Amino acid sequence: MFAILGSGFGLYGYLPALAANGERVVLPQRYRDRYNSRPELARFASQIEWANSEAEALARADGVVLALRPSDQCTWVQRCLAHDQTARLILEKPLAPTPESALAVLNDLERSGKAFRIGYSFRYTAWALKLRHLVLANKVAAFDISWSFLAHHFRHELRSWKRSTSRGGGAIRFYGIQVIALLAELGYREVVFSAGYGPGVEEIVRWAATFSGNGLPKCHVAVDTWAPSTEFRIGTDAGAGAVQTIVDQHDPFAYDDGGPSRPRLDRRVDVLSQLVRSWHAETDPYSWYVATSGLWHAVESKLQFSATMSN
């Protein structure tokens, strides 16, 4: 059984993903109103138990999902590691507000001997499988990843932590970390160029970078969280001017819960379901997670910031 801590993405993302894998879930009672406000989650009622508090939920579970703000996640990780019955942890990205603190948490997790996964979910998309094949088979000379959208907090003018660099938000720490994790898994270890743009370094709304790796094609990344249009594209250059677009879609997560007969689940449920199943299908990903923190640190060490006041 999994306890879920986090009444946002924990409910509409991880609850369906866990249920799809036959897991029972225990939730704190104070999440009940939020749960009831999401009609698409009603179908999972039979797989949910309710606990009086987060502490009671932890005590009744052998697995834990933490879908919290990065600073809160760091605190709850330590509490979970102190529970002998907690055998599995699923953690959200970013693992912590900074790459240095993320590495410290990662090392605590490794020393605990408990199984854990981090929600670096790009690797489970169909386009990532295609890109991995092209890159590792040495079929491209370079490629570009472009991801543009208007973030929820900008669209609704919210003062969310997700726009604050020091709290683990912004174009790099909250969004770009997904790209960084995928590139780290592919073997990228060096950052040639990294630039951030926004009203101030505490609020980076756009990020551009170039990555290199031993025997790997150059990769150019552009993430714009304050864009007038929404798109996710990957273009490849096979050399001699042979440029090809291999991905052109609305956003990185193409998922259809399919049917007008019931409310649609979040588009990320499919990749989260694969993440949940990875206990059985993958070896310990610790070295990849360490490489991700290292590449994230390199991105920020090389960062050149330019102030811009509008989109």
Side-chain angles (χ1 to χ4, degrees):
M1 179 179 290
F2 269 86
I4 296 177
L5 302 189
S7 61
F9 195 46
L11 289 184
Y12 61 79
Y14 280 102
L15 170 58
L18 289 165
N21 283 276
E23 297 280 359
R24 291 192 61 78
V25 173
V26 56
L27 301 173
Q29 279 283 359
R30 68 187 187 90
Y31 294 179
R32 193 184 284 270
D33 287 346
R34 293 289 295 274
Y35 169 77
N36 289 335
S37 72
R38 309 283 306 213
E40 78 275 21
L41 303 181
R43 69 190 83 166
F44 307 116
S46 64
Q47 289 172 261
I48 299 172
E49 296 181 11
W50 296 94
N52 290 324
S53 65
E54 285 87 348
E56 182 183 322
L58 286 180
R60 287 162 56 179
D62 64 345
V64 180
V65 167
L66 298 181
L68 304 165
R69 292 174 296 185
S71 57
D72 294 336
Q73 179 162 260
C74 291
T75 299
W76 276 100
V77 164
Q78 299 305 323
R79 295 183 68 172
C80 291
L81 294 184
H83 278 257
D84 290 339
Q85 77 272 22
T86 301
R88 298 174 291 171
L89 296 95
I90 299 177
L91 310 163
E92 254 305 289
K93 56 78 193 170
L95 186 57
T98 69
E100 296 82 6
S101 56
L103 184 59
V105 172
L106 189 58
N107 287 332
D108 287 343
L109 287 161
E110 175 68 6
R111 283 192 294 267
S112 76
K114 299 180 187 293
F116 62 96
R117 294 290 187 269
I118 303 173
Y120 299 140
S121 51
F122 275 15
R123 74 186 305 268
Y124 299 108
T125 61
W127 60 262
L129 295 175
K130 178 189 291 187
L131 180 63
R132 180 180 291 111
H133 170 73
L134 291 173
V135 169
L136 299 184
N138 200 27
K139 293 188 175 182
V140 295
F143 64 98
D144 300 274
I145 299 175
S146 177
W147 184 17
S148 301
F149 57 98
L150 183 61
H152 181 265
H153 47 264
F154 293 135
R155 185 182 302 276
H156 299 282
E157 298 183 355
L158 303 175
R159 297 308 306 177
S160 168
W161 67 266
K162 293 178 183 177
R163 59 196 290 176
S164 168
T165 298
S166 63
R167 300 169 72 188
I172 300 173
R173 294 184 174 185
F174 186 71
Y175 297 102
I177 190 64
Q178 287 282 22
V179 180
I180 292 168
L182 180 63
L183 295 179
E185 187 179 15
L186 292 175
Y188 288 85
R189 298 292 182 267
E190 297 178 17
V191 177
V192 179
F193 166 81
S194 178
Y197 309 89
V201 71
E202 176 62 8
E203 189 174 48
I204 297 175
V205 302
R206 300 185 193 88
W207 169 56
T210 299
F211 296 84
S212 65
N214 186 29
L216 296 171
K218 281 284 197 312
C219 171
H220 308 287
V221 174
V223 177
D224 187 348
T225 71
W226 198 0
S229 60
T230 300
E231 61 184 25
F232 182 78
R233 293 180 179 174
I234 299 179
T236 63
D237 180 358
V243 178
Q244 179 184 8
T245 299
I246 64 167
V247 178
D248 188 353
Q249 57 192 53
H250 187 67
D251 73 16
F253 303 101
Y255 172 58
D256 186 355
D257 187 38
S261 60
R262 58 184 180 178
R264 180 170 294 179
L265 297 175
D266 187 273
R267 68 195 188 283
R268 293 161 289 186
V269 168
D270 181 61
V271 293
L272 294 179
S273 296
Q274 295 181 64
L275 175 67
V276 172
R277 288 196 296 275
S278 71
W279 304 113
H280 312 292
E282 299 169 16
T283 57
D284 182 6
Y286 174 70
S287 60
W288 166 37
Y289 293 158
V290 170
T292 297
S293 292
L295 194 59
W296 176 14
H297 182 270
V299 161
E300 299 204 357
S301 296
K302 289 282 185 74
L303 186 69
Q304 302 172 22
F305 177 79
S306 298
T308 59
M309 298 308 296
S310 69
N311 63 334

